[in-house]
Amino acid sequence: MKYMRPGSVAEAMDILVAAGGNAAPMAGGTDLLVRMKGGFVEPEVVVDLKAIAELGGIVETRDGFEIGAAVPCAALGESAALRAAWPGVVEAAGLIGSKQIQGRCTIAGNLCNASPAADSVPALVAAGARAMIVGPGGRREARVEDIPAAPGRTTLGRGEIIAAIRLAKPAPRSADAYLRFTPRTEMDIAVVGIGISLTLDADGRVAAARVAMGAVAPTVLLVAEAARAIVGTRLDEAALADLAAACSGACRPIDDKRGTIAFRTRIAGVLARRAAVIAYGRAGAR
């Protein structure tokens, strides 16, 4: 196996194309190295993206934020502007692994690992995030929810990498939140994860919403019915009950050692209610 550390996106593309599909891009390595050790993947070339300056920063623009693919999750929590704009996304990123892992792991890597239980992905989907993709055919853009294809598989083409995650500037009176349930308080995999973003009108009613769930289906779910349940409401008890029912109804989970189908279905509704209340409070305070 070869280890390559390119200094530019163009150099990385050349290596990936030359490898003919037998290369693995590495943003942080916290998922890739585990998969390699377990024998799930055996790349001939590992392409370390950490040395590419273009992929290593959080850039705030007039339209929002671009988070480079090699930016560690710890850096997201250190960005006051990003925390203020998208607290739910930062919360989700901060739940990935231990303090040591936080210094290496990335939200782009979390997305490309394509685990149904990835913490950052439901939060990114709820926030309407988009992936900026670079490959042999040039650059393109895709919705984050369109990247996972199945557990462990993505829709990225051969030689393509995610260069950055783009988050738009939130509208006034908007906020998001992310909650998950795990058997342990830290360093565990989500049994259910819920990301919700809300925008309120001048009367305090929900004008727009996005609700995304993780660990309850083979890929992240964007639940339009759950969003419709709370749009036009002040998030009263009836609206929260409809939200919970829509989230539970959309679940397609499995039984495993962390939770049963019935438990996951129930908890999805409970977490949705709680996350919506948090996001609503944050949006109203702006």
Side-chain angles (χ1 to χ4, degrees), residues 192 194 213 216 243-244 247-248 251 263-273:
V192 178
I194 303 285
M213 303 194 299
V216 296
L243 168 68
C247 286
S248 292
C251 289
F263 182 75
R264 281 190 159 104
T265 301
R266 166 72 173 162
I267 290 299
V270 173
L271 289 184
R273 291 173 64 106

Side-chain angles (χ1 to χ4, degrees), residues 153-229:
R153 292 197 297 110
T154 72
T155 58
L156 296 176
R158 179 174 292 184
E160 286 189 324
I161 62 169
I162 293 178
I165 300 294
R166 179 176 290 170
L167 290 163
K169 182 179 180 181
R173 293 175 63 81
S174 296
D176 67 329
Y178 176 78
L179 291 177
R180 72 173 185 182
F181 177 85
T182 59
R184 299 183 298 174
T185 57
E186 61 182 342
M187 290 182 65
D188 209 343
I189 299 172
V191 173
V192 178
I194 303 285
I196 296 183
S197 66
L198 303 174
T199 299
L200 308 185
D201 64 18
D203 296 324
R205 296 182 182 275
V206 179
R210 286 173 66 90
V211 180
M213 303 194 299
V216 296
T219 61
V220 63
L221 298 179
L222 179 63
V223 189
E225 184 178 349
R228 288 194 293 269

Side-chain angles (χ1 to χ4, degrees), residues 13-14 66 85 250 284:
M13 288 299 99
D14 289 343
E66 286 195 9

Side-chain angles (χ1 to χ4, degrees), residues 42-66:
E42 296 182 354
E44 293 181 3
V45 183
V46 172
V47 185
D48 189 346
L49 306 178
K50 283 288 189 185
I52 302 176
E54 177 185 341
L55 308 185
I58 300 173
V59 179
E60 184 176 3
T61 68
R62 182 176 59 183
D63 300 322
F65 297 87
E66 286 195 9

Side-chain angles (χ1 to χ4, degrees), residues 54-166:
E54 177 185 341
L55 308 185
I58 300 173
V59 179
E60 184 176 3
T61 68
R62 182 176 59 183
D63 300 322
F65 297 87
E66 286 195 9
I67 304 167
V71 174
C73 287
L76 273 63
E78 295 171 355
S79 171
L82 185 60
R83 289 199 314 270
W86 294 105
V89 170
V90 176
E91 286 169 342
L95 291 172
I96 302 171
S98 63
K99 292 292 184 183
Q100 295 91 334
I101 294 296
Q102 284 280 307
R104 288 288 306 181
C105 69
T106 70
I107 57 173
N110 196 224
L111 173 59
C112 290
N113 189 51
S115 167
D119 279 308
S120 69
V121 179
L124 289 170
V125 171
R130 301 185 72 84
M132 316 310 295
I133 300 165
V134 180
R139 294 178 180 260
R140 65 184 181 92
E141 187 175 328
R143 301 180 304 177
V144 163
E145 57 264 39
D146 293 334
I147 299 299
R153 292 197 297 110
T154 72
T155 58
L156 296 176
R158 179 174 292 184
E160 286 189 324
I161 62 169
I162 293 178
I165 300 294
R166 179 176 290 170

